[in-house]
């Protein structure tokens, strides 16, 4: 049996990404791990519902041995078995993120001997996680470039705090991802804003999109109201999608009680403008998520507008499971991330 990897969840930014990355790579490498101080850097430490479901999903997919674990737990021991494909269904039971659960198990299911269909219910759009469209358009597109076949269907929207959303993912086996170097984004192909509203006045969407149009210089055809059934709400998500020759980026802001529509628009616009001005290929959040599949491919590189503490912590965890080195180099207005086998 392989030696147990010991992880401290309080290291670095101290969030749930440490646990999710460990689960993913434990499944793939067959390496058991033990983690203490789970999410020690958060206001409510320990496992939340979405983290617990990620553990349960990972355990089911590889028939792992897991000790007693529950919401609030700050210690976990995980010993994986063989990954198996199939039909899976996981219910978070709250507005906890479906996307983060899927990102935990996606790479592992690529290593399954047969195809998989995964249904996850919970939150699809909340401020603490990437929205479903980020998986579909940004993360999913890069996985496809690396040879993976992953299709993600947004069956029902789920906003905080009600949840009730549903994502369905179809994953084909792909034991070895291709290495890619993503240094340039290429020419812009498209750019547009979408405002999703459920159970709130349509005037909110209009104001948010008007602000985006003025700030980005976009016309009416690029400003799209996406009205949803009232029973999905209350909820409001503003998404800016920038499609380039080599990459697609998605920036998001969420409406909140007592927060003006103009403030919501400014959040999304500021992030998109920072990315555009940098000249980098990927934004901060895509950079964070892209490191793991790149490490599984055995190498590659990309440029990014920002390297967060979240990314640095994730890189350190990846290096505990895989024989890779991840470096971040300053290149003026952006950073270059390089993954090398050691």
């Amino acid at each position: 049996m392989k030696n147990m990897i010991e992880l401290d969840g309080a290291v670095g930014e101290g969030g749930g990404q440490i646990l999710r990355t460990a689960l993913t790579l434990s499944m793939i490498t067959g390496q058991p791990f033990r983690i203490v101080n789970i999410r020690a850097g958060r206001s409510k430490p320990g496992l939340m519902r979405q983290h617990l479901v990620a553990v349960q999903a990972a355990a089911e997919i590889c028939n792992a041995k897991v000790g007693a674990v529950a919401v609030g737990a700050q210690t976990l021991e995980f010993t994986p078995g063989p990954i198996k494909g199939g039909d899976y269904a996981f219910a978070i039971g709250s507005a906890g993120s479906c996307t983060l659960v899927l990102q935990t198990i996606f790479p592992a299911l690529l290593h399954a001997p047969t195809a998989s269909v995964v249904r996850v219910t919970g939150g699809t759009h909340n401020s603490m996680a990437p929205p479903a469209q980020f998986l579909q358009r940004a993360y999913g597109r890069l996985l496809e470039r690396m040879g993976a076949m992953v299709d993600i269907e947004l069956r029902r929207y789920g906003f905080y705090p009600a949840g009730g959303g549903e994502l369905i993912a179809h994953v084909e086996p792909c034991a070895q991802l291709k290495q890619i170097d993503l240094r340039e984004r290429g020419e812009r192909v498209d750019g547009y804003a979408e405002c999703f509203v459920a159970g709130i006045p349509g005037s909110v969407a209009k104001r948010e999109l008007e602000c985006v149009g003025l700030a980005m210089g976009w016309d009416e055809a690029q400003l799209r109201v996406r009205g949803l059934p009232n029973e999905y709400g209350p909820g409001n998500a503003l998404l800016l999608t920038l499609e380039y020759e080599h990459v697609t980026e998605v920036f998001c802001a969420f409406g909140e009680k007592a927060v003006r529509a103009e403030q919501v628009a400014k959040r999304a616009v500021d992030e998109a403008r920072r990315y555009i001005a940098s000249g980098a290929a990927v934004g901060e959040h895509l950079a964070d998520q892209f490191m793991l599949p790149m490490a599984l491919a055995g190498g590659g590189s990309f440029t990014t507008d920002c390297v967060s503490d979240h990314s640095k912590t994730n890189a350190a965890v990846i290096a505990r499971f895989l024989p890779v080195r991840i470096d971040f180099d300053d290149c003026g207005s952006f950073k270059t991330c390089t993954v090398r086998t050691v």
Side-chain angles (χ1 to χ4, degrees):
M1 181 178 174
K2 297 182 179 181
N3 293 331
M4 184 79 66
I5 290 178
E6 300 285 344
L7 298 172
D8 186 349
V11 169
E13 55 90 36
Q17 186 67 59
I18 300 173
L19 171 66
R20 289 189 294 271
T21 296
L23 288 169
T24 302
L25 294 179
S26 176
M27 287 187 280
I28 293 170
T29 64
Q31 182 75 56
F33 74 92
R34 182 175 184 270
I35 182 172
V36 298
N37 301 320
I38 295 173
R39 298 181 67 251
R42 297 296 183 254
S43 58
K44 293 183 179 180
L47 298 177
M48 302 291 283
R49 280 289 308 168
Q50 69 191 38
H51 308 101
L52 176 60
V53 173
V55 172
Q56 293 169 336
E60 184 173 341
I61 285 167
C62 70
N63 195 29
K65 295 179 181 178
V66 183
V69 63
V71 171
Q74 297 185 47
T75 302
L76 172 72
E77 191 169 299
F78 188 91
T79 302
I83 298 168
K84 58 185 186 296
D87 292 347
Y88 296 99
F90 306 111
I92 297 174
S94 70
S97 176
C98 294
T99 59
L100 292 180
V101 172
L102 282 178
Q103 281 192 313
T104 302
I105 60 178
F106 267 164
L109 289 174
L110 293 175
H111 290 74
T114 58
S116 301
V117 178
V118 184
R119 175 178 177 265
V120 184
T121 56
T124 61
H125 292 76
N126 68 59
S127 61
M128 300 303 292
Q133 287 86 353
F134 175 89
L135 283 193
Q136 294 172 316
R137 301 169 187 172
Y139 183 74
R141 181 180 177 186
L142 291 183
L143 283 182
E144 288 178 5
R145 285 193 58 187
M146 299 178 79
M149 294 180 63
V150 178
D151 180 69
I152 304 159
E153 178 187 356
L154 175 52
R155 184 70 63 86
R156 189 186 193 279
Y157 286 73
F159 296 97
Y160 179 84
E166 180 180 3
L167 292 179
I168 298 178
H170 299 258
V171 186
E172 295 291 331
C174 177
Q176 183 58 54
L177 294 171
K178 301 174 186 175
Q179 294 185 22
I180 64 172
D181 289 298
L182 188 58
R183 301 296 185 102
E184 298 179 354
R185 62 179 76 143
E187 294 296 320
R188 191 190 296 185
V189 177
D190 201 1
Y192 55 93
E194 300 163 287
C195 189
F196 297 88
V197 288
I200 64 173
S203 59
V204 172
K206 183 179 179 181
R207 286 165 55 200
E208 289 178 1
L209 291 173
E210 283 178 349
C211 291
V212 172
L214 288 172
M216 301 294 291
W218 288 352
D219 59 32
E220 286 190 16
Q222 295 170 282
L223 307 173
R224 306 165 188 178
V225 177
R226 307 294 197 195
L228 301 171
N230 287 339
E231 59 266 26
Y232 287 14
N236 167 216
L238 175 65
L239 272 62
L240 274 62
T241 299
L242 300 173
E243 182 182 341
Y244 292 88
E245 184 180 356
H246 305 305
V247 65
T248 299
E249 266 293 2
V250 178
F251 303 98
C252 189
F254 294 90
E256 302 173 55
K257 190 174 182 179
V259 176
R260 291 175 55 80
E262 291 77 11
Q263 291 176 272
V264 175
K266 186 177 186 302
R267 291 174 186 170
V269 166
D270 285 351
E271 191 174 356
R273 277 180 155 178
R274 185 186 74 185
Y275 166 72
I276 292 169
S278 74
V282 305
E284 173 184 343
H285 303 299
L286 185 53
D288 184 27
Q289 301 301 326
F290 192 34
M291 282 187 296
L292 193 151
M294 186 168 280
L296 289 171
S301 65
F302 59 86
T303 56
T304 179
D305 66 339
C306 177
V307 177
S308 65
D309 289 340
H310 200 268
S311 289
K312 293 174 184 177
T313 303
N314 200 22
V317 177
I318 291 170
R320 295 291 305 278
F321 286 87
L322 297 174
V324 298
R325 173 178 170 179
I326 302 176
D327 294 315
F328 303 101
D329 299 312
D330 197 336
C331 298
S333 62
F334 56 80
K335 312 287 185 181
T336 297
C337 174
T338 306
V339 180
R340 300 181 179 90
T341 303
V342 295

